């Protein structure tokens, strides 16, 4: 978290070498853009930041990426690289009064020939009106804004502010970058971590791409001065398990539910089960997942396997009956059933086509022969006249026209040849042939 009062300290003091007893992550903070691991696509010579530094000119930026990927360090290093005064605040702890003071100080510094880079951590925490307050100072160059956010800027930041900033995406640190951090930590400490190779891999995996978390865990291991190396099992007992990074009302939520749905649609039960587990382990509401499974059953499977919907409703009932964790097995079964079922979006497409036709045709009356006639007047004007009761016809099919007189019949539902829907397709073909045959006979009789 950026220090709210970092702007009050002279730049020279902010860049002093960290104390020997400072946290490991602080002692390992990068001293140049080249030291930042895992973001070479931005910091390298061909990256956006590398080009800006080479040109000596920095535009306002939004750094978007997961926690522990170097956003705060990059902002500080950019200020050093292009000679800007560095001011850092956190949107969590700052308000309008803080911003007014910072902008006033930045204008005073500008008159003295010193431009200001304003780093705003968690910039998405500022509300819309506060974000609008940045605009005149960014436009006139009073500050070069570098905002950091873990949330999708297109959802969380004003369009006006976004239009004045370049959005740069920081990647989750991969195993190579995380291993590089561990090697630097061991070099600073002058000794290796007390881990077996397998435990070292487990430690890297537990960081989930977060370099700061990894270094904090490594510092804990260094501090205890273990005599024996830990294996993965012993490491798991020694360190608290990391809670999955997942905000149920944020982008991670929508990314994972999208991945789950698309894995089901793509008939990949292994991937579908993985994303389902990701969400359940992270604390997602099981009923939310069940609602999405029901949606997948009717949107992506439909009549290709009518039992898919039944499986989902049964899973919901079993979860209500058993609760967690036993009831989650029913959710797993429904997920795997959907992913392995034959796929068809014919019902979904039929719904869209029917809704469109209903809006376009307005209030057309159904044909008179299929209208009920509960009164004598309605019978006299032709309601129900000529209606054929299908159950009394051969094959239980009359072949009558059920569409409004002013409207041609539309083929809204077009079943596929997959799963149970192949049988539905055969039935429709049979009825369509019969309808054409009976229509031709009626036309012939009318002549």
């Amino acid at each position: 978290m950026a220090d709210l009062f970092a702007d009050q300290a002279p730049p020279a003091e902010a860049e002093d070498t960290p104390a020997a007893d400072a946290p490991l992550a602080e002692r390992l903070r990068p001293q140049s853009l080249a030291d930042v691991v895992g973001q070479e696509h931005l910091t390298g010579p061909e990256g956006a930041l590398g080009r800006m530094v080479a040109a000596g000119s920095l535009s306002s930026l939004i750094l978007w990426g997961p926690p522990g990927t170097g956003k705060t360090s990059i902002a500080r290093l950019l200020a050093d690289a292009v000679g800007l005064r560095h001011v850092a605040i956190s949107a969590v702890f700052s308000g309008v009064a803080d911003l007014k003071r910072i902008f006033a100080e930045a204008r005073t510094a500008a008159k003295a020939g010193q431009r200001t880079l304003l780093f705003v951590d968690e910039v998405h925490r500022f509300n819309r009106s506060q974000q609008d307050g940045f605009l005149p100072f960014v436009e006139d160059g009073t500050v070069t804004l570098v905002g950091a956010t873990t949330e999708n800027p297109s959802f969380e930041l004003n369009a006006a502010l976004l239009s004045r900033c370049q959005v740069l995406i920081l990647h989750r640190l991969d195993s190579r970058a995380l291993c590089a951090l561990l090697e630097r930590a061991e070099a600073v400490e002058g000794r290796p971590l007390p881990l077996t190779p397998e435990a070292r891999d487990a430690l890297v995996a537990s960081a989930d791409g977060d370099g700061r978390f990894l270094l904090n865990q490594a510092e804990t291991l260094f501090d205890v001065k273990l005599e024996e190396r830990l294996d993965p099992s012993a490491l798991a007992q020694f360190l608290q398990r990391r809670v999955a990074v997942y905000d149920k009302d944020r982008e991670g939520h929508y990314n994972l539910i999208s991945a789950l749905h698309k894995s089901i649609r793509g008939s990949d039960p292994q991937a579908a089960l993985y994303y389902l587990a990701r969400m359940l382990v992270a604390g997602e509401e099981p009923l939310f997942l069940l609602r999405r499974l029901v949606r997948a059953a009717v949107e992506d499977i439909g009549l290709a396997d009518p039992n898919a919907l039944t499986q989902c409703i049964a899973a919901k009932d079993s979860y209500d009956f058993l609760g967690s964790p036993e009831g989650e097995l029913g959710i797993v079964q429904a997920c795997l059933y959907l992913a392995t079922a034959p796929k068809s979006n014919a019902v979904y497409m039929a719904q869209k086509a029917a809704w469109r036709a209903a809006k376009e045709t307005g209030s057309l009356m159904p044909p008179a022969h299929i209208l009920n006639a509960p009164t004598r007047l309605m019978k006299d004007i032709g309601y129900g006249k000529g209606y054929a009761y299908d159950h009394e016809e051969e094959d239980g099919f009359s072949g009558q026209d059920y569409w409004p007189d002013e409207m041609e019949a539309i083929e809204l539902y077009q079943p596929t040849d997959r799963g149970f829907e192949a049988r539905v397709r055969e039935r429709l073909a049979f009825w369509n042939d019969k309808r054409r045959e009976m229509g031709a006979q009626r036309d012939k009789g009318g002549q």
Side-chain angles (χ1 to χ4, degrees):
M1 186 70 68
D3 183 358
L4 173 60
F5 304 105
D7 60 300
Q8 297 177 350
E13 292 181 14
E15 299 306 317
D16 282 349
T17 301
D21 60 350
L24 180 60
E26 178 68 12
R27 285 181 280 144
L28 284 175
R29 66 182 183 179
Q31 298 303 307
S32 69
L33 283 177
D35 294 335
V36 177
V37 299
Q39 311 303 336
E40 290 79 9
H41 65 293
L42 297 177
T43 60
E46 301 302 317
L49 298 179
R51 290 178 180 274
M52 289 182 192
V53 169
S57 177
L58 190 66
S59 62
S60 289
L61 305 169
I62 300 296
L63 302 178
W64 173 27
T69 52
K71 297 185 290 294
T72 302
S73 293
I74 285 175
R76 173 179 54 81
L77 294 170
L78 286 174
D80 293 344
V82 297
L84 298 184
R85 172 175 169 264
H86 179 239
V87 177
I89 63 171
S90 167
V92 175
F93 300 114
S94 303
V96 173
D98 300 296
L99 293 175
K100 287 182 177 178
R101 173 179 56 80
I102 289 168
F103 292 139
E105 292 175 354
R107 280 188 166 157
T108 300
K111 291 177 182 178
Q114 179 67 65
R115 294 184 59 202
T116 299
L117 182 151
L118 173 59
F119 173 67
V120 182
D121 197 18
E122 305 282 352
V123 65
H124 63 278
R125 298 293 189 97
F126 278 134
N127 62 36
R128 300 288 175 174
S129 60
Q130 288 171 319
Q131 291 178 28
D132 285 339
F134 284 95
L135 298 178
F137 302 99
V138 171
E139 288 177 339
D140 67 11
T142 299
V143 298
T144 296
L145 174 65
V146 177
T149 179
T150 57
E151 304 300 331
N152 191 325
S154 60
F155 297 150
E156 303 296 335
L157 299 183
N158 283 1
L161 183 59
L162 276 180
S163 69
R164 292 160 176 80
C165 300
Q166 184 176 351
V167 177
L168 300 181
I169 301 174
L170 279 73
H171 293 163
R172 173 183 179 276
L173 298 187
D174 59 19
S175 59
R176 180 185 61 81
L178 293 171
C179 287
L181 286 180
L182 287 185
E183 290 171 1
R184 293 181 188 180
E186 290 171 327
V188 166
E189 291 289 332
R191 55 197 168 101
L193 283 164
L195 300 173
T196 66
E198 294 78 13
R200 188 185 184 91
D201 291 341
L203 179 65
V204 168
S206 74
D208 195 22
D210 186 334
R212 185 185 303 109
F213 175 84
L214 179 70
L215 291 177
N216 289 341
Q217 296 289 66
E219 185 169 29
T220 300
L221 289 166
F222 282 129
D223 287 345
V224 295
K225 297 180 172 57
L226 297 171
E227 296 181 2
E228 299 292 332
R229 295 194 303 171
L230 300 178
D231 62 15
S233 177
L235 176 67
Q237 294 178 359
F238 182 80
L239 296 176
Q240 292 184 348
R241 294 192 61 180
R242 178 175 172 81
V243 177
V245 177
Y246 182 77
D247 294 317
K248 287 187 279 185
D249 62 343
R250 303 286 183 174
E251 194 199 11
H253 163 87
Y254 298 107
N255 285 345
L256 287 181
I257 197 63
S258 176
L260 170 62
H261 196 144
K262 289 181 173 65
S263 298
I264 289 172
R265 180 182 296 152
S267 299
D268 189 335
Q270 318 302 343
L273 183 56
Y274 167 73
Y275 290 118
L276 179 74
R278 283 274 301 273
M279 298 185 82
L280 284 172
V281 168
E284 182 57 79
E285 288 293 335
L287 289 179
F288 168 78
L289 292 168
L290 283 162
R291 285 192 290 271
R292 180 51 70 105
L293 293 181
V294 169
R295 172 69 185 188
V298 294
E299 178 180 341
D300 297 295
I301 296 168
L303 290 177
D305 186 347
N307 198 43
L309 180 57
T310 303
Q311 285 279 332
C312 292
I313 300 303
K316 187 264 183 188
D317 289 343
S318 67
Y319 183 80
D320 286 341
F321 185 57
L322 294 174
S324 182
E326 291 86 353
E328 291 169 3
L329 188 57
I331 303 176
V332 168
Q333 178 174 317
C335 174
L336 293 176
Y337 190 98
L338 298 185
T340 55
K343 302 301 186 295
S344 170
N345 71 342
V347 170
Y348 176 59
M349 299 304 293
Q351 182 210 19
K352 294 175 66 175
W355 264 235
R356 185 166 56 250
K359 292 176 182 178
E360 293 173 353
T361 55
S363 55
L364 294 181
M365 284 287 289
H369 64 271
I370 64 171
L371 300 179
N372 286 334
T375 68
R376 181 60 181 268
L377 173 61
M378 297 170 80
K379 290 180 180 179
D380 290 343
I381 61 176
Y383 279 31
K385 183 178 181 180
Y387 173 64
Y389 187 54
D390 287 80
H391 295 290
E392 295 178 348
E393 303 295 326
E394 183 180 356
D395 295 323
F397 182 75
S398 68
Q400 285 195 309
D401 185 359
Y402 300 99
W403 293 87
D405 295 334
E406 302 92 334
M407 183 179 175
E408 293 290 332
I410 304 174
E411 189 177 11
L412 299 172
Y413 174 49
Q414 302 179 39
T416 68
D417 57 0
R418 296 186 291 276
F420 179 78
E421 216 164 33
R423 294 171 60 186
V424 176
R425 188 183 184 97
E426 291 176 2
R427 292 176 191 169
L428 289 185
F430 171 79
W431 287 329
N432 287 337
D433 289 343
K434 289 276 290 183
R435 188 174 285 111
R436 282 191 292 269
E437 177 185 332
M438 297 171 76
Q441 290 176 355
R442 284 194 295 268
D443 292 342
K444 186 176 181 180
Q447 296 174 356

